[in-house]
Amino acid sequence: MDITEAIKTRKSIRKFKTDPVPREIIREILETSVRAPSAENTQPWEFVVLGGTVLENIKKANVEKIRNYELPPKEMEHLMVTRPKDSIYRKRQVEIGMKLFELMGIAREDKEKRAAWLERGFRYFDAPVAIIITMDSALPELGAFLDIGMVTQNICLAALKYGLHTCIENQGVTYSDAIRKYADIPESTKPVVSIALGYPDWDFPANRIESEREPIDNTVLWRM
Ligand SMILES: Cc1cc2nc3c(=O)[nH]c(=O)nc-3n(C[C@H](O)[C@H](O)[C@H](O)COP(=O)(O)O)c2cc1C
């Protein structure tokens, strides 16, 4: 697959088949992905690859916490993304949510179905693998986040070579305490973002989503 096709093919997948993903393939994906650039080659990323019982335990803990409306630990507050009311950013956020609900046949007022949908994200959309990208807590977040964004996109693109798809998720690192408890990660690192990884279930309605992009003419100032 050529690079343009890969970039255009990648999309967020929100239901996966149960087929396991061989560790060797995950390793190859990560080996390719860490060719990502980073400021002064700092490579601020580390990975925790979750599967099997560990992943099941984290999913269960996440779902329990969200059902009890438990607030995330303080250290994750930077990921609680907010958009100014009435802004274009908020509009886009609402649009993608409405599109997903429409595909899934979830009515706005159907609290039960909405809650069930929310839980799916906290279960890593039932992917057989979730990759948690962590960083050393001693590093400033600002630069590290840019670099981690690059390796994150690389993982999503590199996965396509193997027929694997992804969903980048803030939801998956909301409860970093659950990750700490079950994945036994070093105290000095903190989870930044998660990626659900697996073979897509193309029969699942939400996987038909085609997210919009602002036309380039609205986002570029040509000064050349
Ligand atoms: C940093 C980041 C966090 C995200 N977190 C979530 C999430 O928690 N749950 C979810 O369903 N999608 C999440 N997404 C996926 C976005 O909703 C998705 O990328 C966006 O709507 C564009 O759609 P596309 O990925 O299909 O092109 C996240 C994406 C990024 C880049």
Side-chain angles (χ1 to χ4, degrees):
M1 189 182 289
D2 99 326
I3 186 129
T4 305
E5 194 190 344
I7 291 169
K8 290 185 173 172
T9 301
R10 187 218 57 82
K11 63 190 283 196
S12 296
I13 287 297
R14 294 183 174 89
K15 186 173 194 290
F16 298 85
K17 293 183 179 160
T18 50
D19 305 43
V21 183
R23 182 191 282 228
E24 198 41 49
I25 290 184
I26 304 171
R27 201 191 161 78
E28 282 180 26
I29 291 169
L30 292 176
E31 253 163 10
T32 304
S33 301
V34 295
R35 296 307 306 170
S38 58
E40 294 166 317
N41 204 21
T42 38
Q43 305 168 59
W45 47 70
E46 281 169 32
F47 310 97
V48 185
V49 182
L50 306 174
T53 314
V54 177
L55 180 57
E56 283 310 313
N57 285 335
I58 293 172
K59 281 187 205 173
K60 247 188 243 159
N62 280 349
V63 168
E64 208 174 294
K65 284 166 184 286
I66 194 71
R67 278 188 190 163
N68 295 325
Y69 305 104
E70 199 175 303
L71 290 172
K74 269 255 179 293
E75 81 225 45
M76 295 314 297
E77 277 178 8
H78 63 267
L79 286 175
M80 303 308 286
V81 190
T82 56
R83 282 107 194 163
K85 205 171 155 262
D86 298 329
S87 68
I88 181 71
Y89 315 107
R90 174 73 184 142
K91 185 169 166 270
R92 290 176 187 148
Q93 181 192 18
V94 169
E95 263 170 20
I96 195 78
M98 276 171 47
K99 259 191 166 190
L100 284 165
F101 279 7
E102 200 181 304
L103 282 167
M104 293 301 298
I106 302 174
R108 214 183 150 77
E109 59 285 355
D110 192 334
K111 281 191 182 160
E112 228 167 84
K113 278 193 179 169
R114 286 175 71 129
W117 175 258
L118 186 71
E119 282 182 15
R120 296 183 53 77
F122 285 92
R123 294 201 317 264
Y124 305 93
F125 297 109
D126 294 329
V129 173
I131 300 174
I132 310 293
I133 306 185
T134 62
M135 64 178 273
D136 189 327
S137 308
L139 286 171
E141 284 175 354
L142 195 60
F145 279 12
L146 275 178
D147 300 337
I148 286 173
M150 305 213 186
V151 83
T152 303
Q153 165 85 333
N154 270 4
I155 292 171
C156 298
L157 297 179
L160 296 173
K161 177 179 164 188
Y162 306 91
L164 289 161
H165 285 248
T166 49
C167 188
I168 303 167
E169 282 193 78
N170 277 341
Q171 276 175 291
V173 287
T174 304
Y175 295 116
S176 54
D177 47 346
I179 297 170
R180 283 190 192 290
K181 179 171 174 190
Y182 292 106
D184 191 24
I185 65 172
E187 266 309 310
S188 57
T189 65
K190 62 177 174 191
V192 176
V193 73
S194 67
I195 307 177
L197 175 80
Y199 300 98
D201 177 347
W202 291 120
D203 294 331
F204 190 67
N207 287 349
R208 291 203 298 268
I209 188 103
E210 290 298 338
S211 58
E212 305 281 334
R213 292 296 184 273
E214 195 68 32
I216 278 301
D217 285 341
N218 297 348
T219 56
V220 181
L221 290 176
W222 298 101
R223 299 285 187 265
M224 57 187 298

